Short mmCIF file of all heavy atoms in Angstrom, two decimals:
data_model
loop_
_atom_site.label_atom_id
_atom_site.label_comp_id
_atom_site.label_asym_id
_atom_site.label_seq_id
_atom_site.Cartn_x
_atom_site.Cartn_y
_atom_site.Cartn_z
N PHE Y 130 -5.42 0.30 7.39
CA PHE Y 130 -5.81 1.67 7.74
C PHE Y 130 -5.34 1.97 9.17
O PHE Y 130 -5.80 1.37 10.13
CB PHE Y 130 -7.32 1.85 7.59
CG PHE Y 130 -7.76 3.27 7.80
CD1 PHE Y 130 -7.04 4.34 7.29
CD2 PHE Y 130 -8.93 3.53 8.50
CE1 PHE Y 130 -7.45 5.65 7.48
CE2 PHE Y 130 -9.36 4.85 8.69
CZ PHE Y 130 -8.62 5.90 8.19
N VAL Y 131 -4.39 2.91 9.27
CA VAL Y 131 -3.72 3.21 10.54
C VAL Y 131 -4.73 3.59 11.64
O VAL Y 131 -4.68 3.06 12.76
CB VAL Y 131 -2.69 4.34 10.33
CG1 VAL Y 131 -2.14 4.82 11.66
CG2 VAL Y 131 -1.56 3.85 9.43
N ALA Y 132 -5.67 4.47 11.34
CA ALA Y 132 -6.61 4.95 12.36
C ALA Y 132 -7.42 3.78 12.95
O ALA Y 132 -7.65 3.70 14.16
CB ALA Y 132 -7.54 6.00 11.76
N TYR Y 133 -7.82 2.86 12.09
CA TYR Y 133 -8.62 1.69 12.50
C TYR Y 133 -7.81 0.77 13.43
O TYR Y 133 -8.36 0.07 14.27
CB TYR Y 133 -9.03 0.96 11.22
CG TYR Y 133 -9.74 -0.35 11.35
CD1 TYR Y 133 -11.13 -0.42 11.43
CD2 TYR Y 133 -9.02 -1.55 11.36
CE1 TYR Y 133 -11.78 -1.64 11.52
CE2 TYR Y 133 -9.67 -2.78 11.46
CZ TYR Y 133 -11.04 -2.81 11.54
OH TYR Y 133 -11.68 -4.02 11.62
N SER Y 134 -6.47 0.80 13.28
CA SER Y 134 -5.65 -0.18 13.99
C SER Y 134 -5.65 0.03 15.50
O SER Y 134 -5.37 -0.90 16.25
CB SER Y 134 -4.23 -0.21 13.43
OG SER Y 134 -3.44 0.88 13.86
N TRP Y 135 -5.96 1.24 15.98
CA TRP Y 135 -6.06 1.43 17.44
C TRP Y 135 -7.32 0.77 17.98
O TRP Y 135 -7.34 0.24 19.08
CB TRP Y 135 -6.10 2.92 17.79
CG TRP Y 135 -4.76 3.54 17.91
CD1 TRP Y 135 -3.91 3.49 18.99
CD2 TRP Y 135 -4.08 4.33 16.92
NE1 TRP Y 135 -2.77 4.18 18.71
CE2 TRP Y 135 -2.84 4.72 17.46
CE3 TRP Y 135 -4.41 4.75 15.64
CZ2 TRP Y 135 -1.92 5.50 16.78
CZ3 TRP Y 135 -3.50 5.53 14.95
CH2 TRP Y 135 -2.28 5.90 15.51
N GLU Y 136 -8.38 0.82 17.18
CA GLU Y 136 -9.66 0.26 17.63
C GLU Y 136 -9.69 -1.26 17.50
O GLU Y 136 -10.51 -1.92 18.12
CB GLU Y 136 -10.82 0.86 16.81
CG GLU Y 136 -11.13 2.29 17.22
CD GLU Y 136 -11.68 3.11 16.07
OE1 GLU Y 136 -12.34 2.53 15.19
OE2 GLU Y 136 -11.44 4.33 16.05
N ASN Y 137 -8.80 -1.80 16.67
CA ASN Y 137 -8.79 -3.24 16.42
C ASN Y 137 -7.34 -3.73 16.44
O ASN Y 137 -6.87 -4.35 15.48
CB ASN Y 137 -9.44 -3.55 15.07
CG ASN Y 137 -10.91 -3.13 15.06
OD1 ASN Y 137 -11.78 -3.91 15.41
ND2 ASN Y 137 -11.16 -1.90 14.69
N ALA Y 138 -6.68 -3.45 17.57
CA ALA Y 138 -5.24 -3.70 17.62
C ALA Y 138 -4.91 -5.18 17.51
O ALA Y 138 -3.93 -5.56 16.88
CB ALA Y 138 -4.66 -3.12 18.91
N MET Y 139 -5.74 -6.02 18.13
CA MET Y 139 -5.42 -7.46 18.11
C MET Y 139 -5.67 -8.06 16.73
O MET Y 139 -4.87 -8.86 16.24
CB MET Y 139 -6.20 -8.19 19.19
CG MET Y 139 -5.70 -7.77 20.55
SD MET Y 139 -6.46 -8.66 21.86
CE MET Y 139 -5.93 -7.64 23.23
N LEU Y 140 -6.77 -7.66 16.13
CA LEU Y 140 -7.06 -8.15 14.78
C LEU Y 140 -5.96 -7.68 13.81
O LEU Y 140 -5.48 -8.45 12.97
CB LEU Y 140 -8.43 -7.64 14.32
CG LEU Y 140 -8.91 -8.13 12.97
CD1 LEU Y 140 -9.06 -9.65 12.95
CD2 LEU Y 140 -10.25 -7.48 12.61
N THR Y 141 -5.57 -6.41 13.94
CA THR Y 141 -4.49 -5.89 13.08
C THR Y 141 -3.21 -6.68 13.29
O THR Y 141 -2.50 -7.02 12.34
CB THR Y 141 -4.25 -4.39 13.39
OG1 THR Y 141 -5.49 -3.69 13.21
CG2 THR Y 141 -3.19 -3.80 12.48
N THR Y 142 -2.92 -7.01 14.55
CA THR Y 142 -1.72 -7.80 14.86
C THR Y 142 -1.80 -9.19 14.22
O THR Y 142 -0.83 -9.68 13.64
CB THR Y 142 -1.55 -7.93 16.39
OG1 THR Y 142 -1.48 -6.61 16.93
CG2 THR Y 142 -0.29 -8.70 16.76
N ASP Y 143 -2.99 -9.80 14.31
CA ASP Y 143 -3.16 -11.15 13.75
C ASP Y 143 -2.97 -11.16 12.23
O ASP Y 143 -2.35 -12.06 11.69
CB ASP Y 143 -4.55 -11.70 14.08
CG ASP Y 143 -4.64 -12.18 15.53
OD1 ASP Y 143 -3.56 -12.35 16.15
OD2 ASP Y 143 -5.76 -12.37 16.03
N VAL Y 144 -3.53 -10.17 11.56
CA VAL Y 144 -3.53 -10.19 10.08
C VAL Y 144 -2.26 -9.55 9.54
O VAL Y 144 -1.53 -10.15 8.74
CB VAL Y 144 -4.78 -9.44 9.53
CG1 VAL Y 144 -4.73 -9.40 8.00
CG2 VAL Y 144 -6.06 -10.10 10.02
N THR Y 145 -1.98 -8.32 9.98
CA THR Y 145 -0.88 -7.54 9.41
C THR Y 145 0.47 -8.03 9.91
O THR Y 145 1.48 -7.93 9.22
CB THR Y 145 -1.09 -6.05 9.75
OG1 THR Y 145 -2.41 -5.69 9.31
CG2 THR Y 145 -0.08 -5.14 9.10
N GLY Y 146 0.49 -8.56 11.15
CA GLY Y 146 1.73 -9.07 11.74
C GLY Y 146 1.86 -10.59 11.59
O GLY Y 146 2.63 -11.08 10.77
N LYS Y 147 1.05 -11.33 12.35
CA LYS Y 147 1.18 -12.80 12.32
C LYS Y 147 0.84 -13.39 10.96
O LYS Y 147 1.33 -14.46 10.61
CB LYS Y 147 0.30 -13.42 13.42
CG LYS Y 147 0.97 -13.34 14.79
CD LYS Y 147 0.01 -13.68 15.91
CE LYS Y 147 -0.44 -15.13 15.87
NZ LYS Y 147 -1.46 -15.39 16.92
N GLY Y 148 0.04 -12.70 10.19
CA GLY Y 148 -0.26 -13.16 8.83
C GLY Y 148 1.00 -13.32 8.00
O GLY Y 148 1.10 -14.22 7.16
N VAL Y 149 1.98 -12.45 8.23
CA VAL Y 149 3.25 -12.54 7.48
C VAL Y 149 3.98 -13.83 7.86
O VAL Y 149 4.50 -14.54 7.01
CB VAL Y 149 4.16 -11.31 7.78
CG1 VAL Y 149 5.41 -11.36 6.91
CG2 VAL Y 149 3.40 -10.01 7.56
N LEU Y 150 3.98 -14.13 9.15
CA LEU Y 150 4.60 -15.38 9.61
C LEU Y 150 3.91 -16.58 8.96
O LEU Y 150 4.56 -17.52 8.51
CB LEU Y 150 4.53 -15.45 11.14
CG LEU Y 150 5.06 -16.72 11.80
CD1 LEU Y 150 6.50 -17.01 11.39
CD2 LEU Y 150 4.97 -16.59 13.32
N ASN Y 151 2.58 -16.53 8.90
CA ASN Y 151 1.85 -17.65 8.29
C ASN Y 151 2.23 -17.85 6.83
O ASN Y 151 2.47 -18.97 6.39
CB ASN Y 151 0.33 -17.41 8.40
CG ASN Y 151 -0.19 -17.65 9.81
OD1 ASN Y 151 0.44 -18.36 10.60
ND2 ASN Y 151 -1.32 -17.03 10.13
#
Side-chain angles (χ1 to χ4, degrees):
F130 186 41
V131 171
Y133 174 91
S134 77
W135 275 279
E136 285 150 31
N137 297 271
M139 292 184 193
L140 184 61
T141 303
T142 302
D143 283 345
V144 177
T145 306
K147 280 168 66 185
V149 185
L150 177 55
N151 285 337

